[in-house]
Amino acid sequence: MMPSIDLRLASMIRSVQEVILPALSGHSGLAQEQAHLLLGQLMVLRSQVDGALAFERIEATSLADLASELARTAKGGGKTEAAAAALAALLKGATGEHPAEVRQFLQACSLAVEALIGASGEDGSEAFQAASAEAILRHGRQAALRNRRWFSATNFEAPEVRLPPLDPLAGD
Amino acid sequence: MAQAPSAQQRDLEPQVHAVLERRARRKQFPAYRSRTDAEVEAALNSFLAEVSPGARASGLARMGGGASKEQFVFAIEGNDGRAERHVLRMEPTQSISESDRRREFEILKAFQGIVPAPSPVWLDAEGAHLGQPSAIMKFVSGTTKPRDTGAGVSGLGTTIGGDLRIAIASQFIDHLVSIHAFDWRKAELPSFTAPNADPWQAARWQVNWWSQVWREDRVQSIPVVALAERWMRANLPTCDDHVLVHGDYRTGNYLFDEDAKRITAILDWELCHIGDPHEDLAWALLRLFGTIDGDRHLASGLFTREEFLTRYEAASGRIVNRKTLRFYEVFATYKCIVITVATGLRSAADQHNHQDILLTWLSAVGHIFLSEICDLMGEDL
């Protein structure tokens, strides 16, 4: 790809840094604030662009694993059983290859998981409620850590926080 | 496919229900365009001509930050020739947390002389004059962070050190106790309703409010958020000691005078409601609103957890129920996730806010809240 995405992002960063921000000096606070945010967003995007699809695929695989476990182990009344069946049916499809397909899968699967968790709160068996809580928390901890690492360039983490590298966070 | 909410899940404070209904209508609006300072000043002067003939706004300038409301500072010259600064708070089509200017106005009026708070002056609750629902308050001077603190989102990682911390910490407790001691039953608060159907209603109203917002706004669901809702519904605490809950009480949401070591105004009253005092305690204890001092976490950058709770108990005469507090810590974290990951991103996706780029930037912080909610629920399950 010529010009590469990296080069185009780099040139945008330079433009904001060296031309746009100095030109805004002394002008609207909101415009300056947003130009700084634009610069930050471009820098983070540049650090993420090469791994973005791989990251979303990891997210999709991780969610699909949790969803399979929940669909397989769900026990309870009619609402829980129906939600588990809907989730199982959705999982028969692929997680997708193209970025848009992967995102579509993440949306549909996460909603079906949400519906099963909600239904199990109404008529799920006690055993499933306990087991699902454990599985969801395990997935949640790993997913949150993975995303914190992925977005660490935003600098929201406290200085003393040490996040593990991304590779070991790939699976659950 | 998400399930339809049950009757219990639709139980909301009537005024909050109205806010959410209005929000639903506004979701159909086209992209929000932020007006220029000159346009806002012209609209403001046309409004002032009606509500306060002779008053004229000048020198209007947009205030920085503010992912929730657009805020402008301006001066009004009085008959004696002295200019007095005011602040205009104006809603974009969709805020990061939806609220009602009328409720905010009423509560600010009610708290004058009780705790330091901006003095409300004029209200355009439906935006009939100013184009967007708006309120005007008197300007209060002060800062949200000490001079030696770097840039960043106010209230996140703010370090207040030395004598200043000692002075501010005492006032932080005293003002919270005063807010919770406020006799809302005798106050003029027509836009507020107390939860009195059953002892669980205070907690249920909050869970229903924010879970509805989650369902309406999430761009993608998150299993642990659904688990948190299930957990909260199964663990609703009772409350028989209803107080005025500030709803966003933390460092970053008050102004102080660094030299005088004095809080000059408690801000951000928009999420105020009648409910359980544990809710404000849990909010102030949120890890992300605190700082690390050596190996200690300081709640709101001011106290250790136990110090905060002990001092609140001593000053208020209340006993903090640790189980109820745990519920509200999960709820507080849930609310932060809804605000950052759901409403923030939805507002940006719909182009309904003036700070789309800030909202998408801020949403990354939601993953820290997600880690925290896992820790909180993990200790209980």
Side-chain angles (χ1 to χ4, degrees):
Chain A
M1 185 195 296
M2 283 197 303
S4 67
I5 293 174
D6 183 66
L7 177 55
R8 280 178 280 162
L9 286 171
S11 61
M12 288 183 227
I13 289 168
R14 189 157 178 248
S15 165
V16 177
Q17 243 168 353
E18 297 185 13
V19 179
I20 296 171
L21 272 169
L24 288 175
S25 174
H27 289 83
S28 157
L30 183 66
Q32 279 190 53
E33 189 179 295
Q34 296 212 348
H36 278 289
L37 283 162
L38 174 60
L39 181 61
Q41 295 266 28
L42 287 169
M43 287 172 159
V44 174
L45 278 175
R46 192 180 175 205
S47 73
Q48 293 178 332
V49 68
D50 289 339
L53 180 55
F55 185 83
E56 295 217 87
R57 281 189 179 140
I58 289 167
E59 293 267 278
T61 307
S62 160
L63 180 64
D65 289 348
L66 171 69
S68 300
E69 183 179 344
L70 296 178
R72 196 177 60 247
T73 56
K75 288 277 181 304
K79 288 179 180 174
T80 298
E81 297 290 342
L87 179 58
L90 186 139
L91 288 169
K92 284 184 183 150
T95 55
E97 281 301 312
H98 296 292
E101 291 170 342
V102 175
R103 281 194 286 275
Q104 203 173 12
F105 170 80
L106 281 165
Q107 285 187 349
C109 186
S110 63
L111 277 179
V113 168
E114 179 185 290
L116 173 56
I117 298 167
S120 69
E122 293 188 50
D123 66 2
S125 72
E126 221 168 276
F128 177 62
Q129 290 205 10
S132 61
E134 202 175 300
I136 295 161
L137 281 180
R138 192 173 62 240
H139 170 269
R141 282 196 186 95
Q142 195 76 353
L145 268 183
R146 188 166 54 233
N147 276 279
R148 287 170 65 183
R149 185 73 183 82
W150 179 248
F151 287 107
S152 56
T154 52
N155 283 330
F156 282 121
E157 298 288 346
E160 59 283 350
V161 170
R162 297 282 171 271
L163 293 169
L166 204 53
D167 285 351
L169 296 172
D172 290 331
Chain B
M1 170 99 45
Q3 291 185 324
S6 65
Q8 281 274 300
Q9 290 177 2
R10 288 195 301 270
D11 182 26
L12 284 167
E13 182 184 353
Q15 291 85 353
V16 169
H17 175 74
V19 165
L20 295 181
E21 289 282 299
R22 186 191 67 166
R23 195 180 93 104
R25 289 193 296 276
R26 285 154 64 123
K27 277 180 178 290
Q28 312 307 317
F29 285 11
Y32 180 68
R33 187 183 71 82
S34 207
R35 281 175 288 173
T36 63
D37 291 0
E39 288 171 322
V40 174
E41 192 170 298
L44 186 56
N45 276 319
S46 146
F47 173 62
L48 289 173
E50 229 174 273
V51 295
S52 183
R56 187 150 185 88
S58 61
L60 181 135
R62 186 180 283 272
M63 297 170 81
S68 186
K69 307 288 170 285
E70 291 194 88
Q71 298 197 116
F72 303 86
V73 62
F74 61 93
I76 294 181
E77 199 172 304
N79 293 334
D80 59 359
R82 278 181 51 229
E84 194 173 13
R85 283 198 288 174
H86 290 72
V87 172
L88 165 66
R89 271 168 67 77
M90 185 185 280
E91 295 180 18
T93 301
Q94 194 168 344
S95 299
I96 195 164
S97 56
E98 194 78 3
S99 59
D100 181 357
R101 302 281 61 72
R102 193 184 300 279
R103 273 163 76 96
E104 183 181 52
F105 200 85
E106 277 176 19
I107 208 72
L108 283 172
K109 210 167 153 192
F111 270 92
Q112 295 303 301
I114 295 173
V115 296
S119 175
V121 189
W122 294 290
L123 174 70
D124 182 12
E126 303 305 326
H129 300 271
L130 292 163
Q132 294 295 127
S134 306
I136 295 168
M137 291 115 192
K138 287 192 178 164
F139 179 86
V140 183
S141 59
T143 179
T144 55
K145 56 181 103 173
R147 282 186 283 267
D148 57 2
T149 307
V153 179
S154 67
L156 301 189
T158 300
T159 302
I160 300 174
D163 289 349
L164 183 61
R165 182 190 297 167
I166 294 167
I168 296 294
S170 289
Q171 295 165 64
F172 186 88
I173 291 279
D174 290 347
H175 294 324
L176 181 59
V177 168
S178 297
I179 293 169
H180 289 178
F182 175 73
D183 190 354
W184 51 266
R185 289 173 182 85
K186 290 185 183 155
E188 184 70 20
L189 294 172
S191 300
F192 290 78
T193 303
N196 55 13
D198 58 63
W200 295 273
Q201 195 174 37
R204 190 170 63 242
W205 272 1
Q206 295 308 308
V207 173
N208 287 348
W209 175 355
W210 293 94
S211 61
Q212 180 175 335
V213 173
W214 168 258
R215 272 188 280 279
E216 289 174 359
D217 286 351
R218 55 169 154 43
V219 290
Q220 181 183 311
S221 189
I222 300 174
V224 85
V225 177
L227 176 67
E229 184 185 342
R230 188 179 85 181
W231 183 89
M232 288 189 291
R233 292 195 183 283
N235 290 280
L236 290 178
T238 58
C239 177
D240 55 10
D241 172 28
H242 294 132
V243 303
L244 213 298
V245 174
H246 178 279
D248 198 359
Y249 197 82
R250 62 177 173 88
T251 289
N253 280 346
Y254 55 82
L255 296 173
F256 61 93
D257 179 327
E258 194 168 351
D259 298 320
K261 299 184 177 60
R262 188 174 54 83
I263 291 179
T264 54
I266 307 291
L267 304 174
D268 286 327
W269 295 76
E270 62 183 301
L271 295 176
C272 214
H273 56 273
I274 297 165
D276 190 318
H278 292 85
E279 193 184 332
D280 275 335
L281 301 179
W283 191 257
L285 284 170
L286 272 177
R287 226 185 307 176
L288 204 70
F289 298 152
T291 49
I292 302 290
D293 180 34
D295 58 355
R296 303 180 310 165
H297 175 261
L298 297 182
S300 267
L302 298 170
F303 332 76
T304 62
R305 178 185 179 87
E306 280 313 310
E307 184 192 357
F308 174 54
L309 298 176
T310 308
R311 288 178 67 172
Y312 175 81
E313 285 183 329
S316 68
R318 290 193 167 82
I319 302 294
V320 175
N321 179 319
R322 303 303 158 122
K323 200 170 170 211
T324 303
L325 182 66
R326 173 46 50 100
F327 170 88
Y328 278 107
E329 285 183 279
V330 172
F331 169 71
T333 314
Y334 179 88
K335 189 167 140 184
C336 287
I337 294 167
V338 174
I339 288 170
T340 54
V341 180
T343 304
L345 288 184
R346 175 61 64 195
S347 305
D350 292 348
Q351 300 183 357
H352 275 166
N353 191 279
H354 57 299
Q355 288 271 43
D356 297 356
I357 193 166
L358 174 61
L359 299 181
T360 51
W361 180 262
L362 265 182
S363 65
V365 90
H367 299 293
I368 302 178
F369 289 122
L370 285 161
S371 274
E372 185 147 355
I373 209 166
C374 289
D375 290 347
L376 288 165
M377 285 192 295
E379 287 166 21
D380 189 79
L381 290 167

